[in-house]
């Protein structure tokens, strides 16, 4: 099997990583950012075309305000510190999620990064920030209705109203930290994604872990609801 075109990653385990080391949760998020940088570079080097990173969900607002503010600060740090890397590797940065629900300074930072990298033809990194799969579907339906359409919607048509309709569905979704659930991530697009769950906490991830996931993916037989070919 060829490499997946699109990989989605649920970057889980930052808090547990910190807790195991008697550190504050924010330290875990900082180390998680470093892991995101490592994996982004590895994916680009390997030849992955699209990488979606689940950075902040619509449910994460329920966390303590100090932790939320710290994560938002990390988002800005990631966007700024990785600009040279994006330029060098021609990486295009995009966003998925409810953009209007983000703080204005984060909106500005994301918009500027997207504009600055819009012409790049290398790997596309989609940052899922203030993202929820159910929320995306609801927003897509609202966009469809606002266009004057009220009936006879098809799967293909609704797909065109999702956050990034031009991006292929994820072939592989990776989740770190051993949790076996999707956590509201790419519910529509990931209907037939292969799932790889690693027990390793996200801050400990490196290129070898990504390669292990890819080797596992290559052994899968993707049937998309059909049956295997019988000789």
């Amino acid at each position: 099997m060829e490499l997946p075109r699109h990989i989605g990653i649920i970057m889980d385990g930052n808090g547990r990583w910190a807790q195991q080391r008697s550190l504050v949760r924010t330290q875990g998020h900082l180390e998680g950012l470093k892991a995101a940088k490592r994996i982004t570079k590895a994916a680009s080097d390997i030849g992955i075309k699209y990488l979606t990173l689940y950075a902040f969900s619509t449910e994460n607002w329920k966390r303590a305000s100090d932790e939320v503010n710290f994560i938002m600060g990390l988002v800005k740090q990631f966007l700024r510190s990785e600009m040279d890397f994006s330029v060098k590797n021609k990486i295009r940065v995009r966003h998925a999620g409810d953009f209007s629900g983000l703080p204005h300074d984060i909106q500005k930072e994301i918009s500027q990064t997207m504009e600055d990298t819009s012409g790049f033809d290398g790997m596309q990194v989609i940052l899922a920030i203030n993202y929820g799969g159910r929320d995306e579907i609801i927003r897509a339906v609202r966009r469809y209705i606002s266009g004057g359409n009220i009936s006879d919607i098809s799967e293909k048509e609704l797909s065109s109203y999702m956050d990034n309709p031009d991006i292929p569905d994820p072939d592989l979704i990776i989740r770190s930290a051993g949790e076996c659930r999707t956590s509201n991530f790419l519910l529509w697009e990931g209907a037939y994604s292969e799932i790889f769950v690693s027990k390793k906490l996200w801050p400990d991830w490196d290129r070898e872990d990504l390669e292990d996931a890819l080797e596992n993916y290559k052994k899968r037989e993707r049937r998309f609801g059909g049956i295997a070919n019988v000789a």
Side-chain angles (χ1 to χ4, degrees):
M1 183 182 292
E2 297 179 355
L3 285 173
R5 289 183 302 167
H6 182 184
I7 297 176
I9 304 182
I10 303 172
M11 305 179 292
D12 195 19
N14 295 337
R16 273 170 282 174
W17 184 93
Q19 186 179 33
Q20 289 177 2
R21 292 160 177 76
S22 300
L23 300 171
V24 293
R25 287 178 60 85
T26 51
Q27 186 63 35
H29 292 305
L30 179 60
E31 294 301 318
L33 172 63
K34 295 177 182 178
K37 292 179 179 180
R38 291 194 297 271
I39 298 305
T40 296
K41 185 178 190 314
S44 177
D45 291 344
I46 289 170
I48 303 302
K49 299 300 183 184
Y50 304 91
L51 176 67
T52 298
L53 300 175
Y54 201 10
F56 192 86
S57 76
T58 49
E59 289 74 38
N60 286 158
W61 297 107
K62 300 174 184 177
R63 297 184 179 185
S65 59
D66 287 349
E67 183 176 355
V68 170
N69 292 335
F70 186 84
I71 293 172
M72 288 295 125
L74 286 181
V75 169
K76 292 176 68 172
Q77 179 182 332
F78 179 83
L79 292 169
R80 292 175 179 176
S81 65
E82 292 306 290
M83 181 53 67
D84 288 344
F85 173 75
S86 296
V87 171
K88 181 179 179 180
N89 295 278
K90 303 301 181 183
I91 290 177
R92 181 181 176 186
V93 178
R94 301 176 67 169
H95 174 260
D98 182 4
F99 191 77
S100 65
L102 289 168
H104 290 299
D105 61 328
I106 301 299
Q107 291 184 29
K108 183 178 179 181
E109 203 73 42
I110 293 174
S111 294
Q112 188 63 56
T113 302
M114 290 173 61
E115 181 179 345
D116 291 344
T117 64
S118 61
F120 294 164
D121 58 2
M123 183 176 74
Q124 297 192 26
V125 175
I126 302 92
L127 299 177
I129 306 172
N130 195 26
Y131 177 87
R134 289 180 174 179
D135 178 73
E136 181 185 20
I137 294 170
I138 289 171
R139 288 186 289 103
V141 171
R142 287 174 177 166
R143 285 193 286 265
Y144 174 77
I145 294 174
S146 68
N149 305 300
I150 57 174
S151 65
D152 298 329
I153 189 169
S154 66
E155 180 179 319
K156 181 178 180 180
E157 194 168 13
L158 184 57
S159 292
S160 70
Y161 287 87
M162 295 293 164
D163 288 347
N164 294 290
D166 60 311
I167 293 177
D169 291 342
D171 303 292
L172 174 65
I173 291 178
I174 296 170
R175 178 157 193 160
S176 58
E179 301 293 347
C180 298
R181 56 178 179 270
T182 61
S183 293
N184 204 17
F185 180 56
L186 298 178
L187 298 183
W188 181 272
E189 299 89 344
Y192 281 101
S193 300
E194 298 297 318
I195 308 294
F196 179 84
V197 177
S198 167
K199 292 183 179 180
K200 200 168 184 179
L201 303 179
W202 178 247
D204 292 326
W205 264 62
D206 55 26
R207 181 184 178 120
E208 183 177 343
D209 297 296
L210 178 61
E211 290 175 343
D212 286 345
L214 293 176
E215 284 302 312
N216 182 278
Y217 171 82
K218 290 178 182 178
K219 298 175 183 177
R220 307 286 182 93
E221 183 179 15
R222 306 191 72 195
R223 298 193 295 271
F224 300 95
I227 59 175
N229 292 326
V230 179

